């Protein structure tokens, strides 16, 4: 069944052109062609198990991932932080790192303790508003 996929991905080459100067052609050994009809489907198959070990909820859209859960106490906070560790473990296993500088935390509710969260030794920035898929969340 996967023979057709292997054949479709085989023999691809690329080169870089900067200011009219071109590099030599090189074999492409990973990824799928951008703009291909199969690219999004293969990506979804690849990330299908992302939340398999998580305790809290996850929303995925294309290459965006949102982890969320109710946090009323330190146990809940640790649960979210442990899920962030699990996401990092998954990303390292599959060589698909999160850009932790783009990862943010949004605290909802008046009595939220606003714990700090971390990914790869990076403290996640707390925001009061975020634009996502052309929507503003506050």
């Amino acid at each position: 069944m996967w023979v057709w996929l292997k054949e479709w991905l085989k023999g691809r080459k690329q080169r870089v052109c900067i200011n009219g100067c071109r590099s030599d052609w090189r074999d492409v050994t990973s990824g799928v062609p951008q703009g291909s009809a199969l690219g999004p489907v293969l990506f979804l198959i690849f990330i299908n198990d992302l939340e398999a070990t998580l305790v809290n909820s996850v929303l995925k859209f294309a290459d965006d991932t949102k982890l969320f859960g109710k946090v009323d106490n330190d146990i809940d906070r640790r649960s979210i932080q442990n899920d962030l560790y699990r996401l990092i473990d998954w990303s390292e296993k599959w060589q698909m790192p999160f850009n932790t500088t783009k990862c943010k935390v949004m605290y909802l509710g008046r009595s939220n303790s606003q714990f700090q969260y971390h990914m790869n030794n990076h403290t996640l920035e707390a925001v009061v508003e975020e634009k996502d898929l052309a929507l503003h969340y506050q």
Side-chain angles (χ1 to χ4, degrees):
M1 177 176 148
W2 294 102
V3 173
W4 63 270
L5 181 60
K6 190 174 180 181
E7 286 298 314
W8 179 63
L9 294 173
K10 187 171 76 175
R12 295 178 298 136
K13 296 188 177 290
Q14 69 182 14
R15 69 177 175 183
V16 176
C17 180
I18 300 175
N19 295 328
C21 295
R22 294 185 176 114
S23 69
D24 293 333
W25 286 98
R26 296 281 180 121
D27 291 331
V28 177
T29 58
S30 65
V32 296
Q34 279 192 307
S36 68
L38 283 179
V41 174
L42 293 173
F43 179 75
L44 290 174
I45 291 168
F46 187 76
I47 67 164
N48 187 50
D49 69 336
L50 176 72
E51 70 270 16
T53 63
L54 303 182
V55 173
N56 294 281
S57 300
V58 172
L59 293 175
K60 298 181 289 192
F61 182 80
D63 63 348
D64 287 335
T65 304
K66 288 167 190 53
L67 172 70
F68 63 97
K70 185 175 181 182
V71 178
D72 286 329
N73 52 50
D74 198 47
I75 293 169
D76 296 339
R77 181 203 60 80
R78 279 195 304 269
S79 176
I80 294 279
Q81 183 60 63
N82 287 336
D83 278 351
L84 291 171
Y85 293 143
R86 289 181 191 104
L87 286 171
I88 292 297
D89 289 344
W90 181 94
S91 74
E92 289 172 353
K93 176 183 177 183
W94 295 109
Q95 300 174 23
M96 195 170 169
F98 286 96
N99 185 345
T100 56
T101 61
K102 289 184 175 182
C103 295
K104 298 180 176 120
V105 177
M106 181 179 283
Y107 304 103
L108 304 175
R110 291 188 179 120
S111 62
N112 194 306
S113 297
Q114 300 191 10
F115 296 107
Q116 283 191 334
Y117 297 96
H118 308 273
M119 290 179 83
N120 277 351
N121 298 319
H122 173 79
T123 301
L124 302 185
E125 175 189 359
V127 296
V128 295
E129 178 179 286
E130 186 65 24
K131 183 178 177 184
D132 183 40
L133 299 175
L135 299 172
H136 283 274
Y137 298 96
Q138 308 187 37

